[in-house]
Amino acid sequence: MSKARTTTASILKSHEKELVADWQKELASAGSASDVRIGERALHAQMSEFIGLLRDAAQHGDLVDVDRTAWQPMRQFLQEVSRSRVAQGFTSEQTALFIFSFKKPLFVRLRKELGDDPETLAAETWAATQLLDRMALLAMRSYQQSREEVIVRQQEEMLELSTPVVKLWDGVLGLPMIGTLDSARTQVVMETLLQRIVETGAEIAIIDITGVPTVDTQVAQHLLKTVAAIRLMGADCIISGVRPQIAQTIVHLGVDLHDVTTKATLADALALALQRSGWTVERSSGQTR
Amino acid sequence: MERIPILQMGEFLLVTIQVELSDQVALTLQDDLTERIRTTGARGVLIDISALELVDSFIGRMIANIAGMARILDARTVVVGMQPAVAITLVELGLTLTGVHTALNPDRGMQYLRAALAEEVHGHGRLG
């Protein structure tokens, strides 16, 4: 095995340029070398780095056990490559192909060097194929991880995007809700709104549900809870943007909204809020309707 | 033993809960406060719970009870400065403190007490 290892390592060392050239040709025949998303030069650099890291690791470490510390730089490199592939919008197949297409050039070299010794050639080829498979799996795992990170980040962003608390007037906060209300979202909405009430000392909060497509018993329950929490804090709450269909659904469902002030539009709610806090709005003279 | 101080300010009593409220302390507060309302003839009670970060169902019910008892003793009660987390917990526990007036901060709570008292006095005047 020690002889075999030196052979792969020495091939990687002495024939780096040819290997890269063959690799590029191989990738091109697979149809993903000349991609506009990644330049020829960048691809070339990545290939050289891969071979360099493979050579270093093969010299110092075991060819089979990829989890050892000698492979740490390689693992990092694969992570970075996968991450950039995700960012550039490559498919998982194309990312895996990047590694797999290195097999052929390497095997061709091995056959040239060890053609006269079939036994060593077989052993060496098996070791190399095992190793490259591991590399590809590592790259896949990083690829998937990066994708999942993107999804999680987008979910969080959506959650934040959908709960903006705006100041409508001195002491009046508005919360335009958009999208379906589930338990997780209601929790976030409730927390942000209550936090803002504490920060601003606003006495009236208006929850506008114009953008909420449907109201079922659960959504109504969530709304009632939010209203109750706001009351406990010592502020008041108005629900606005109740569409006719929603009003019908609420009554049909038998949800009790008697204690809650509801208004058809946000404008009505704001007018009521101003009136309650003692403001009057006047049209300046000279203007007519 | 730990006790929550009850301060008198004119016609009002001030209770500020600055420590974690244990069951025993809450029970003592209930006794102390009702006793003080009787002896001082206070017309309003302001309970500041802004330092309270955790509540369970017992403490939640105690707050409601204390407010209710004060009302029976003819003192208006206002609970001020409830933290968002506490409000959410109470709602989840189904304790909405019906009949208890709440305010955002002590200042607003005081305003409410004064307004309520003035209204009462005004009302009496009209009757007499």
Side-chain angles (χ1 to χ4, degrees):
Chain A
M1 201 65 203
S2 66
K3 185 174 177 282
R5 191 187 333 152
T6 38
T7 313
T8 305
S10 63
I11 285 175
L12 289 169
K13 200 171 184 176
S14 52
H15 299 282
E16 189 186 322
K17 284 227 171 69
E18 293 95 315
L19 278 172
V20 170
D22 289 349
W23 191 0
Q24 236 160 359
K25 246 179 262 165
E26 188 60 32
L27 255 185
S29 71
S32 60
S34 56
D35 202 302
V36 285
R37 286 171 291 196
I38 180 161
E40 192 119 340
R41 196 176 296 167
L43 193 64
H44 194 279
Q46 279 179 353
M47 285 171 168
S48 305
E49 197 179 345
F50 178 81
I51 293 174
L53 285 167
L54 195 61
R55 187 184 59 221
D56 291 349
Q59 268 171 350
H60 297 123
D62 200 332
L63 265 187
V64 186
D65 191 8
V66 205
D67 296 327
R68 302 235 325 233
T69 44
W71 292 95
Q72 181 60 31
M74 181 56 118
R75 284 202 296 269
Q76 255 170 14
F77 168 74
L78 286 174
Q79 258 171 19
E80 269 164 41
V81 169
S82 305
R83 192 151 295 170
S84 67
R85 290 287 196 282
V86 171
Q88 284 156 345
F90 282 90
T91 63
S92 53
E93 204 182 356
Q94 284 165 324
T95 312
L97 201 65
F98 172 72
I99 310 275
F100 283 140
S101 57
F102 182 55
K103 274 188 183 178
K104 198 176 167 190
L106 184 63
F107 293 171
V108 168
R109 280 288 147 198
L110 277 173
R111 201 160 62 224
K112 261 188 202 162
E113 299 288 321
L114 299 166
D116 49 345
D117 185 358
E119 212 160 293
T120 322
L121 174 64
E124 188 68 11
T125 311
W126 172 242
T129 195
Q130 226 179 355
L131 182 68
L132 285 173
D133 286 351
R134 289 278 191 92
M135 299 284 115
L137 283 176
L138 268 178
M140 273 305 85
R141 197 167 65 192
S142 314
Y143 181 90
Q144 220 158 8
Q145 262 172 5
S146 310
R147 284 287 281 263
E148 268 156 28
E149 277 166 23
V150 170
I151 293 172
V152 168
R153 203 187 60 230
Q154 281 174 342
Q155 265 176 344
E156 281 169 4
E157 276 171 7
M158 251 169 67
L159 214 54
E160 275 172 24
L161 269 182
S162 55
T163 54
V165 181
V166 292
K167 182 180 172 181
L168 291 177
W169 203 269
D170 244 3
V172 183
L173 290 180
L175 180 87
M177 291 235 254
I178 292 159
T180 318
L181 283 173
D182 55 19
S183 303
R185 275 199 61 196
T186 319
Q187 194 71 21
V188 175
V189 166
M190 219 197 257
E191 276 166 21
T192 15
L193 187 55
L194 296 188
Q195 199 54 50
R196 284 297 298 273
I197 288 174
V198 171
E199 284 163 18
T200 57
E203 292 223 294
I204 298 172
I206 300 172
I207 299 178
D208 186 74
I209 57 166
T210 315
V212 179
T214 49
V215 172
D216 54 17
T217 39
Q218 211 181 357
V219 172
Q221 203 58 40
H222 288 321
L223 276 175
L224 286 174
K225 274 185 186 172
T226 312
V227 173
I230 291 171
R231 287 222 176 118
L232 280 179
M233 304 251 317
D236 214 349
C237 185
I238 303 170
I239 292 177
S240 76
V242 185
R243 281 177 282 124
Q245 298 97 311
I246 289 192
Q248 288 180 23
T249 332
I250 287 175
V251 172
H252 284 314
L253 288 172
V255 177
D256 187 18
L257 281 180
H258 283 299
D259 304 336
V260 186
T261 319
T262 48
K263 287 281 170 191
T265 63
L266 184 58
D268 291 345
L270 182 60
L272 177 67
L274 290 178
Q275 189 196 330
R276 276 193 195 168
S277 42
W279 291 89
T280 45
V281 183
E282 250 176 54
R283 185 186 285 267
S284 64
S285 59
Q287 295 273 339
T288 49
R289 261 174 193 262
Chain B
M1 204 199 70
E2 225 173 354
R3 261 169 200 273
I4 306 285
I6 300 168
L7 313 173
Q8 187 172 5
M9 250 183 82
E11 292 178 290
F12 306 123
L13 290 181
L14 241 66
V15 182
T16 48
I17 298 169
Q18 300 282 1
V19 291
E20 216 44 67
L21 204 54
S22 70
D23 293 2
Q24 193 51 52
V25 174
L27 284 168
T28 318
L29 175 65
Q30 182 182 310
D31 289 343
D32 286 356
L33 187 63
T34 42
E35 188 58 33
R36 281 294 290 273
I37 293 173
R38 196 182 63 85
T39 51
T40 58
R43 307 302 310 275
V45 178
L46 186 139
I47 304 174
D48 177 22
I49 57 166
S50 54
L52 204 63
E53 305 220 319
L54 282 170
V55 285
D56 55 15
S57 54
F58 182 78
I59 298 298
R61 208 156 50 81
M62 284 306 291
I63 294 171
N65 284 355
I66 290 173
M69 289 164 193
R71 209 170 42 240
I72 293 173
L73 291 167
D74 195 27
R76 300 280 187 132
T77 309
V78 59
V79 174
V80 305
M82 192 184 290
Q83 294 295 318
V86 173
I88 292 172
T89 313
L90 287 184
V91 169
E92 292 296 337
L93 289 171
L95 292 164
T96 49
L97 303 190
T98 330
V100 179
H101 195 89
T102 49
L104 284 169
N105 51 43
D107 195 33
R108 300 252 172 83
M110 227 39 181
Q111 267 175 29
Y112 163 77
L113 284 182
R114 289 210 183 92
L117 204 64
E119 195 180 295
E120 230 167 71
V121 170
H122 189 68
H124 279 306
R126 237 191 336 209
L127 275 174

